[in-house]
Amino acid sequence: MKFPEHFLWGAASAAYQVEGAYNTDGKGPSIWDEFSKIPGKTKHNTNGQIAVDFYHHYKEDIVLMAEMGLKAYRFSVSWSRILPNGEGEVNQEGLDFYEKVIDELQKHQIEPILTLYHWDLPEVLQTKYGGWESRHTIDAFVEYCRILFDKFGTKVKYWITFNEQNVFTSLGYRWASHPPNVSDSKRMFQANHIVNLANAKAIQLFHQVVPQGKIGPSFGYGEVYPLTSSPADVLAAVDANQFNNDWWLDVYCRGEYLERIMRLLKQMHIAPDVTIEDKKVLQTGKPDFLGINYYHGGTVKAPDTEKVITGKNFDKIDPYLMAGDAQSNTPESQLFQSVENPYLDKTNWGWEIDPIGFRIALRQVYEKYRLPLIITENGLGAFDKLEGGQVDDQYRIDYLNDHLVQVGKAISDGVPVFGFCAWSFTDLLSWINGYDKRYGFVYIDRDDYSPKSLLRIKKKSFNWYQRIIETNGGKL
Ligand code: BGP
């Protein structure tokens, strides 16, 4: 398989899922610190207070990244570590921490990819202003971004604005399975609009302050297939792709909402309130590239009255299938009905395994928006077993191998993909699934009940990825 020269072979993480040190060196609480205290919201009531303690282990972890030959590391900054109150006074120790991480990465020739927002809003902004339902949060976000652009603009080339806006707004405001624990479509689409404005304004500022850098959002993309060739099913799949994907990507890349979906939301009285000024803002902040997080897509048929996936059981919540309940009054239930795909196997958590869907996704996104792409997440969550000091995760190797082959094919098809960040480098906290849903190349000795030794142990996949990087994909 042929990959471009200087391809960014990387891995990704997020602050809340790895750092721990939740109240150390002046860090303020985030909405996840608070949400995880609500009994039953997360598996075994797990939280990120200690996580895998990257805060104190970053040097050791970066040495392992260097040993692996990693070319890029995507991490997120915890807003409330920089601004404990979400705005106002800067916590110098927070800035110092990320500076040390960036310097350490660069010492080992690893390109830092900095995510500005990976879901951990400062709690104060939620309680005081209503979080992403308030325009005040746009200003606070832009000020937070300005601090990081000023501080790291000369060191960091690649920046991600929002991680999976589609997922955090849907899970947080529609399905009440993420903070702020709301279940209200109108509020979700309004919060989503506020985030769109924050995204555009941050990008606009970035282009002024860091003209030599590149910035874009990371989107959770999954292609939706029709169950059959019946035109009604094909139309349902077209609608599902518009509802699940283009609704967001059109705003990012074209600066406007998809008319067909907006009309539907208006009919249902759940459309966001968009002012003339807002429309101008959305036109001004277009990304330089798109980050794509790919786990899987979905399959749909024309809607009927049968029950569809509701995502009520937190174990099985699937952020990429936002299908509603056919009996309820959701916009999806008028457009499509999610069904199982008879051709695909599933992970232990019921996520479809669909490598070819990855190639399709990359082709579709590129053809529509003509922007360079970077894979900012892809990986397999599995129950790994530590036996005799080793983890034989051949299933993860197979998964990543199959997906990377399809990325390689998409590149041969002409899609400009400039990097691949596996999710994740070390094991980490899965937001609501605890510590048993492991994704890393490096096993961390901890479980849902205790941080144990936090020892880092290379899995079989570590050596495999090392070899892939060494040969620039030649061994795929
Ligand atoms: C994405 C998130 C990541 C990560 C990943 C795996 O949606 O951006 O932060 O968590 O999914 O998801 P999970 O932990 O639910 O298995």
Side-chain angles (χ1 to χ4, degrees), residues 23-56:
N23 61 0
T24 304
D25 295 339
K27 179 182 171 294
S30 80
I31 52 174
W32 271 94
D33 292 320
E34 295 307 310
F35 176 77
S36 57
K37 289 180 187 160
I38 306 172
K41 282 290 176 187
T42 65
K43 184 122 185 250
H44 301 138
N45 300 317
T46 39
N47 61 47
Q49 291 190 355
I50 298 174
V52 297
D53 202 22
F54 179 75
Y55 194 79
H56 297 107

Side-chain angles (χ1 to χ4, degrees), residues 13-14 17 74 118-119 163-164 167 171 178 220 293 295 317 319-320 349 351 377 379 381 423 428-434 437 439:
S13 69
Q17 297 178 277
R74 173 184 176 227
H118 203 128
W119 304 355
N163 180 71
E164 294 189 353
V167 173
L171 294 185
H178 278 198
N293 292 0
Y295 292 91
I317 278 180
Y320 300 100
W349 275 264
W351 291 17
E377 284 182 33
W423 185 267
L428 39 67
L429 171 65
S430 171
W431 299 92
I432 54 176
N433 302 293
K437 192 178 187 186
Y439 280 92

Side-chain angles (χ1 to χ4, degrees), residues 178-189:
H178 278 198
N181 203 14
V182 171
S183 173
D184 182 325
S185 296
K186 166 87 188 155
R187 288 174 65 184
M188 178 253 161
F189 285 109

Side-chain angles (χ1 to χ4, degrees), residues 87-196:
E87 54 192 345
E89 210 178 317
V90 174
N91 175 36
Q92 188 57 42
E93 284 174 289
L95 274 182
D96 291 347
F97 169 66
Y98 293 107
E99 178 148 52
K100 284 186 279 180
V101 170
I102 291 165
D103 288 349
E104 199 66 19
L105 288 168
Q106 289 178 333
K107 192 170 107 190
H108 294 282
Q109 287 87 48
I110 300 169
E111 185 85 50
I113 301 176
L114 190 158
T115 306
L116 290 156
Y117 187 82
H118 203 128
W119 304 355
D120 48 353
L121 184 78
E123 170 67 6
V124 191
L125 294 179
Q126 187 64 48
T127 45
K128 208 163 154 194
Y129 301 103
W132 291 115
E133 289 178 88
S134 161
R135 286 174 187 257
H136 183 88
T137 304
I138 303 173
D139 299 336
F141 180 68
V142 173
E143 282 317 301
Y144 155 69
C145 290
R146 187 191 298 278
I147 294 163
L148 295 180
F149 296 162
D150 285 345
K151 178 79 187 160
F152 301 127
T154 51
K155 291 189 178 191
V156 177
K157 180 170 177 198
Y158 295 106
W159 298 69
I160 307 291
T161 50
F162 285 91
N163 180 71
E164 294 189 353
Q165 180 181 336
N166 52 330
V167 173
F168 84 79
T169 54
S170 301
L171 294 185
Y173 292 87
R174 280 192 82 189
W175 308 119
S177 54
H178 278 198
N181 203 14
V182 171
S183 173
D184 182 325
S185 296
K186 166 87 188 155
R187 288 174 65 184
M188 178 253 161
F189 285 109
Q190 190 59 33
N192 183 62
H193 177 57
I194 300 286
V195 179
N196 279 330

